[in-house]
Amino acid sequence: VKVRRAVNLALDAAGMIKSVHQGLAAEGGANQPPPYAFWGLAAKDVQKLPGYGDPAKNKAQAKKLLRALGSTEQNPLKVTVSTRAIALYVDVATWAVDQLKQVGIDGTLEQVETGNWHAKLARRDFDLAVNLTGVGPDDPDSNFYENYACGSQRNYSDYCNEEVQALFDKQSQMTDHAERLKLVHKIDILLQDQAARPILAHRLDYFASWPYVKNLVAHNDCYNYGRMEHVWLDK
């Protein structure tokens, strides 16, 4: 857990958004942040998460954790950083290797062809993996149970916390929208603090359309973009 937290602290998420994504991404936790979706953490709460705030202080804390575990400049922790062999993944993974080096983790980049990548994740055949994931509906159930629940095949880090799992069930059963939102935020913060699956950014995509394309509404997720029953052409 301490190593996972050190890695989370080492990764300057806000810096990555500026450098790798050139600003075209949003800061956030497990759920997509507002105004792009409803259930994500507010900006003030995101700044309190590991990987945000002062990157120098975060990296100093990461070094302290690693030294306590026996990782030093002379004997650094060595890991393989695996990712899918396409530019969108490799750019972030290369950045991550550099970030880890700054706190004394010696990372070696491994690029995996797409045909082997998903099977590799399913086998949990990695030390540290840089991956993209997406959820169709903006609802905590689809995110929490798929990516963080005990025994989920898509929970690639095999994070399992029965107390947090019970909170997944509790929020799912709540009918009070405001109270559910508070609990969802509590869960999101717990997941980031425990480094269940550190979230680096929520990428933003932009699109252009001809002025005669009417009623094409931007969705919060690319998986919801296939529904065109209300789109029409004024031409």
Side-chain angles (χ1 to χ4, degrees):
V1 173
K2 291 179 180 178
V3 173
R4 294 169 68 88
R5 183 167 180 80
V7 169
N8 205 4
L9 286 164
L11 302 174
D12 176 17
M16 189 274 294
I17 290 173
K18 293 177 182 178
S19 59
V20 178
H21 291 309
Q22 299 180 19
L24 299 181
E27 301 175 353
N31 295 297
Q32 191 176 18
Y36 311 102
F38 179 78
W39 296 99
L41 295 170
K44 63 180 179 61
D45 295 321
V46 172
Q47 294 307 310
K48 301 174 185 177
L49 301 178
Y52 288 96
D54 188 335
K57 289 182 179 180
N58 287 338
K59 285 183 169 59
Q61 188 177 348
K63 289 179 181 178
K64 184 177 180 180
L65 286 169
L66 291 167
R67 281 198 301 270
L69 297 170
S71 177
T72 64
E73 293 182 5
Q74 295 74 27
N75 184 33
L77 174 65
K78 296 181 182 294
V79 298
T80 298
V81 180
S82 305
T83 197
R84 190 176 174 185
I86 57 178
L88 188 62
Y89 289 67
V90 173
D91 289 348
V92 178
T94 303
W95 167 87
V97 169
D98 176 70
Q99 294 284 296
L100 296 175
K101 184 177 180 180
Q102 294 179 37
V103 300
I105 298 177
D106 185 5
T108 301
L109 180 64
E110 177 191 33
Q111 299 185 43
V112 182
E113 292 301 320
T114 296
N116 298 321
W117 176 242
H118 299 290
K120 186 179 182 70
L121 290 179
R123 295 194 306 269
R124 311 304 195 252
D125 181 19
F126 56 86
D127 295 333
L128 190 154
V130 175
N131 190 39
L132 289 177
T133 190
V135 182
D138 176 36
D139 188 277
D141 282 1
S142 63
N143 191 1
F144 290 157
Y145 287 109
E146 177 179 328
N147 295 308
Y148 301 97
C150 301
S152 170
Q153 293 182 355
R154 290 266 288 177
N155 178 5
Y156 296 128
S157 65
D158 283 335
Y159 168 82
C160 182
N161 185 315
E162 293 184 358
E163 292 181 359
V164 176
Q165 180 96 5
L167 294 179
F168 293 169
D169 297 338
K170 183 177 180 179
Q171 64 80 29
S172 181
Q173 298 164 18
M174 296 177 74
T175 56
D176 187 311
H177 208 61
E179 290 302 312
R180 185 187 182 200
L181 180 62
K182 291 179 183 178
L183 182 54
V184 166
H185 285 179
K186 177 183 177 179
I187 294 170
D188 204 339
I189 292 170
L190 283 172
L191 293 173
Q192 301 312 307
D193 283 341
Q194 296 177 13
R197 181 190 293 190
I199 302 298
L200 295 175
H202 294 264
R203 291 193 310 114
L204 301 177
D205 290 331
Y206 293 87
F207 70 94
S209 65
W210 294 104
Y212 55 78
V213 178
K214 304 297 182 179
N215 209 32
L216 180 60
V217 179
H219 288 37
N220 71 296
D221 193 284
C222 62
Y223 297 115
N224 287 336
Y225 241 112
R227 297 179 297 178
M228 298 289 174
E229 62 266 33
H230 299 300
V231 179
W232 55 282
L233 304 180
D234 183 20
K235 182 180 179 179

